[in-house]
């Protein structure tokens, strides 16, 4: 009950206060406030602007506009500063750049032998003890160098070696530094490159193309690629092909232009007895009378060699063996042979036409 009475008392006091404020004209008289139901005309707006100008006051919209202009100026200035920093960075990049030595894969070797018979190959043999030497993707040559005197051309006794992996540098520093090469103690240290004279952009090497980068990556990965050992029973794919020699002579081929196709059909039918035949090639211009037959697997080719080798054909003993994968039996046709072959085909076609008639 006490709380209800206190709440009622506070409400009565608040109402009295409001009435006192109204009596003391603390609130504006609503009846005296101008009320405009239509927007100001152009002339009225012009008079208001003139009144602001006479007082030296700025219209609130003008303040906002000024603030926007200030912000725009500051933003433009910040953009200019950023562009200037980027241009400065580009100019710095376009010039000489000091490389991070921790990522370098090159070592500088000093006190090397200066004998004329000390070759790049011998230098590579020493340096390759600690890692795989990188090859230039443009020339495919090892990235090693023995410095020579420009005037005399004599070896100066120092060199440079670039590895594929940076870990090889640490090995070279710990193993090769202080080692003996031809009774001389060599020194090995990380290579550092310094600019001599002014930077010449024209001497800067062009960036590698996409294909060059891909080839470089493939070559580097090939050195560290692991492959399981081949089993003792492994047979190369080339041994699926059988080479048959002395199957024909060049004179026989010139006498009968259709002999090549006839022999191809006969060889195919004969070799089907030993397994699936994938391809038969007649090397018609080879003086040894060679034909090659490719089987599906080495078991079929082995059986063909055992059966056909030494067989007698038209008084000639066949020589049948597995292909070594390297020897090329195709012989290019000469112009004279080509003319004779075309003449033989012309006579053959004429005879065919005569028989049909």
């Amino acid at each position: 009950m006490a709380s209800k009475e206190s709440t009622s008392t506070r409400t009565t006091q608040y109402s009295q206060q409001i009435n006192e404020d109204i009596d003391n004209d603390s609130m504006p008289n609503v009846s005296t406030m101008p009320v405009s139901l239509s927007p100001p005309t152009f002339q009225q707006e012009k008079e208001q602007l003139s009144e602001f100008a006479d007082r030296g006051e700025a219209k609130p919209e003008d303040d906002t506009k000024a603030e926007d202009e200030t912000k725009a100026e500051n933003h433009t200035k910040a953009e200019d500063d950023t562009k200037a920093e980027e241009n400065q960075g580009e100019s710095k990049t376009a010039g000489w750049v000091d490389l991070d030595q921790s990522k370098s894969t090159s070592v500088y070797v000093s006190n090397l032998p200066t004998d004329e018979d000390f070759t790049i190959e011998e230098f590579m043999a020493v340096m390759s003890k600690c890692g795989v030497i990188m090859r230039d993707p443009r020339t495919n040559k090892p990235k090693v160098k023995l410095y020579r005197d420009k005037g005399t051309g004599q070896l100066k006794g120092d060199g440079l070696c670039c590895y594929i992996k940076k870990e090889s540098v640490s090995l070279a520093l710990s193993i090769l530094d202080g080692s003996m090469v031809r009774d001389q103690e060599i020194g090995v240290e990380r290579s550092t490159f310094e600019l001599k004279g002014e930077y010449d952009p024209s001497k800067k090497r062009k960036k590698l193309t996409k294909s060059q980068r891909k080839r470089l990556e493939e070559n580097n990965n090939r050195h560290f690629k692991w492959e399981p050992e081949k089993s003792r029973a492994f047979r190369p794919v080339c041994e699926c092909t059988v080479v048959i020699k002395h199957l024909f002579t060049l004179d026989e081929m010139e006498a009968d232009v259709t002999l090549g196709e006839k022999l191809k059909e006969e060889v195919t039918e004969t070799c089907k007895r030993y397994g699936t035949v994938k391809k038969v090639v007649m090397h018609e211009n080879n003086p040894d009378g060679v034909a090659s037959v490719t089987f599906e697997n080495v078991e079929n080719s082995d059986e063909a060699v055992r059966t056909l080798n030494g067989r007698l054909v038209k008084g000639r003993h066949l020589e049948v063996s597995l292909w070594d994968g390297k020897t090329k039996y195709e012989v290019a046709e000469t112009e004279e042979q080509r003319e004779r072959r075309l003449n033989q085909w012309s006579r053959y076609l004429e005879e065919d036409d005569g028989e049909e008639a």
Side-chain angles (χ1 to χ4, degrees):
M1 293 295 292
S3 61
K4 290 183 178 180
E5 291 178 359
S6 61
T7 302
S8 177
T9 304
R10 286 197 300 271
T11 304
T12 304
Q13 291 176 354
Y14 179 71
S15 301
Q16 292 176 355
Q17 182 67 33
I18 292 175
N19 293 332
E20 290 178 359
D21 291 340
I22 293 174
D23 295 339
N24 294 332
D25 295 333
S26 59
M27 295 183 62
N29 190 356
V30 178
S31 61
T32 61
M33 293 179 63
V35 178
S36 177
L37 300 178
S38 60
T41 63
F42 176 76
Q43 186 64 28
Q44 292 175 345
E45 193 174 33
K46 186 176 180 182
E47 291 177 357
Q48 292 177 1
L49 292 174
S50 300
E51 184 178 353
F52 277 118
D54 294 340
R55 296 178 183 177
E57 298 177 355
K59 194 176 179 181
E61 293 181 359
D62 295 339
D63 294 341
T64 305
K65 186 177 181 181
E67 290 178 1
D68 293 340
E69 290 178 353
T70 304
K71 291 180 180 179
E73 290 177 358
N74 294 336
H75 182 67
T76 304
K77 185 177 180 181
E79 287 183 348
D80 294 340
D81 294 341
T82 304
K83 289 181 179 179
E85 292 177 358
E86 291 177 355
N87 293 334
Q88 185 178 1
E90 290 177 359
S91 62
K92 184 177 180 181
T93 304
W96 180 263
V97 179
D98 292 329
L99 299 177
D100 187 359
Q101 296 302 319
S102 62
K103 298 180 181 179
S104 175
T105 59
S106 300
V107 293
Y108 173 76
V109 187
S110 58
N111 200 32
L112 288 168
T114 57
D115 304 331
E116 282 302 321
D117 59 345
F118 185 72
T119 61
I120 285 285
E121 289 74 17
E122 187 175 350
F123 179 53
M124 290 176 57
V126 174
M127 304 308 296
S128 60
K129 296 176 181 178
C130 295
V132 181
I133 297 175
M134 183 181 292
R135 286 185 172 271
D136 192 316
R138 299 176 179 87
T139 62
N140 200 32
K141 294 181 179 179
K143 298 187 71 173
V144 292
K145 183 177 182 179
L146 290 176
Y147 293 98
R148 293 180 177 271
D149 186 88
K150 293 182 179 180
T152 61
Q154 298 291 327
L155 292 172
K156 297 173 64 176
D158 53 353
L160 184 72
C161 177
C162 183
Y163 292 104
I164 293 179
K165 298 289 186 179
K166 62 181 181 180
E167 290 79 7
S168 300
V169 175
S170 302
L171 284 176
L173 295 177
S174 59
I175 297 175
L176 297 180
D177 185 29
S179 62
M180 303 299 293
V181 176
R182 290 195 180 185
D183 299 329
Q184 291 187 209
E185 184 177 336
I186 63 173
V188 180
E189 57 185 295
R190 292 183 183 272
S191 61
T192 57
F193 300 92
E194 298 178 356
L195 177 63
K196 294 183 180 180
E198 295 183 357
Y199 175 74
D200 187 1
S202 62
K203 295 182 179 180
K204 185 178 180 181
R205 303 184 72 177
K206 294 182 179 180
K207 292 184 178 180
L208 297 177
T209 62
K210 186 176 180 180
S211 59
Q212 288 175 332
R213 290 197 302 270
K214 183 179 179 181
R215 185 167 62 251
L216 175 63
E217 184 177 355
E218 290 176 351
N219 290 338
N220 291 345
N221 292 337
R222 189 179 296 116
H223 293 289
F224 305 99
K225 185 179 180 180
W226 179 84
E227 293 182 354
E229 292 184 0
K230 297 177 181 178
S231 64
R232 295 181 179 180
F234 173 78
R235 301 279 298 276
V237 179
C238 64
E239 292 190 0
C240 292
T241 300
V242 171
V243 177
I244 305 174
K245 293 183 179 180
H246 310 306
L247 184 62
F248 57 88
T249 63
L250 295 181
D251 293 336
E252 292 174 351
M253 280 292 178
E254 290 181 2
D256 185 1
V257 291
T258 62
L259 181 60
E261 291 298 324
K262 293 177 181 178
L263 289 176
K264 185 175 181 179
E265 292 178 1
E266 291 179 8
V267 170
T268 302
E269 291 298 323
T270 301
C271 290
K272 282 182 178 179
R273 304 170 187 172
Y274 315 116
T276 304
V277 176
K278 298 176 68 177
K279 184 172 66 173
V280 176
V281 179
M282 303 298 298
H283 303 282
E284 299 181 6
N285 297 316
N286 194 304
D288 292 331
V290 178
S292 60
V293 184
T294 302
F295 290 92
E296 188 175 21
N297 52 56
V298 292
E299 287 79 8
N300 300 153
S301 59
D302 288 341
E303 183 65 25
V305 170
R306 284 193 295 268
T307 306
L308 297 178
N309 187 35
R311 177 178 290 188
L312 189 65
V313 176
K314 292 184 179 181
R316 299 183 298 269
H317 290 280
L318 299 181
E319 292 183 14
V320 184
S321 61
L322 299 177
W323 183 42
D324 59 6
K326 298 178 181 179
T327 306
K328 306 296 182 183
Y329 295 101
E330 188 67 30
V331 177
E333 185 180 39
T334 63
E335 287 294 329
E336 188 177 337
Q337 290 174 334
R338 181 174 179 275
E339 290 180 5
R340 287 201 298 266
R341 178 173 57 82
L342 292 177
N343 292 333
Q344 289 288 341
W345 273 109
S346 297
R347 287 195 293 269
Y348 174 76
L349 294 174
E350 289 174 359
E351 292 175 359
D352 265 5
D353 293 340
E355 290 177 0
E356 291 177 0

